[in-house]
Amino acid sequence: MKVKPWWKDGIEFLCQPDCGKCCEEPNGMVFLAKSDIIRLADHFDLTTSEYLKQHCKRSIDGRFILASNLETKFCQYYNENKQCDVYVSRPSQCRAFPFWQENLATKKHWKQVVNSCPGLQSEDGMLIDGNTIRLHMNEDRIASVGIRHWSSE
C-alpha cells in the first residue's frame, strides 16, 4: 500500500512582505535551470552568454549558480528594502521555496523551515494544495540538477 506524503493535503503559506529571510543566506547557492537563464537574460536584455558572464558563477561541481553580492554575501538581487529586484523573473528555485525536496523530506526538516519562515506561520496563509507543492518540488529538482554546459548563441 502506497503511503501518501504528509504534505499531500496541503500546507498554509503566504510569503510575507519585506521578509526576505529566504534570501538572507550568506553565500547561499541558487542553482539555475535552462529556463531560468533564458528568462533572466531576457529580463536584463542580455544574451544568455552575457548573462552567465555578468551574473553567475560555477559551483564546485560546475553547475551555474547566481553570484552573491560581494558586500553582503546575500543574493545579488536582494535589495536593501528586503525585496527581490527580479521578482517577476526570479529563478525556479526561488519560486519553489519553501517547497523544496530537502525541506519536505521529513517533518524534522520541515519544522526547521517553519521556525525560520514567517510565511509558514502567517495567520493569513493560503492553503497550497498537494499538487501545487509537487509542482514546486519538481521545479526545485530541475534547478538542483542544474546546467553545467552552455552553448553560445
Side-chain angles (χ1 to χ4, degrees), residues 7 96 99 129-142:
W7 45 263
F99 305 110
D129 67 90
N131 288 330
T132 301
I133 292 171
R134 192 176 304 279
L135 290 172
H136 286 310
M137 289 174 71
N138 192 51
E139 281 188 340
D140 173 52
R141 185 178 299 110
I142 291 167

Side-chain angles (χ1 to χ4, degrees), residues 59-127:
S59 65
I60 291 172
D61 66 359
R63 290 177 282 178
F64 285 106
I65 59 175
L66 288 182
S68 297
N69 177 302
L70 295 175
E71 291 178 26
T72 66
K73 306 294 185 219
F74 297 156
C75 176
Q76 64 183 299
Y77 303 133
Y78 182 61
N79 67 34
E80 63 278 351
N81 297 320
K82 295 188 175 220
Q83 296 174 336
C84 176
D85 287 334
V86 296
Y87 189 80
V88 296
S89 302
R90 71 193 183 282
S92 302
Q93 194 173 19
C94 301
R95 292 173 191 265
F97 188 84
F99 305 110
W100 294 349
Q101 304 172 90
E102 65 192 66
N103 293 345
L104 294 164
T106 66
K107 285 196 174 191
K108 181 180 178 182
H109 284 104
W110 187 249
K111 186 176 180 180
Q112 292 173 331
V113 177
V114 169
N115 288 336
S116 65
C117 177
L120 291 166
Q121 302 168 27
S122 170
E123 292 180 9
D124 57 349
M126 299 184 305
L127 185 66

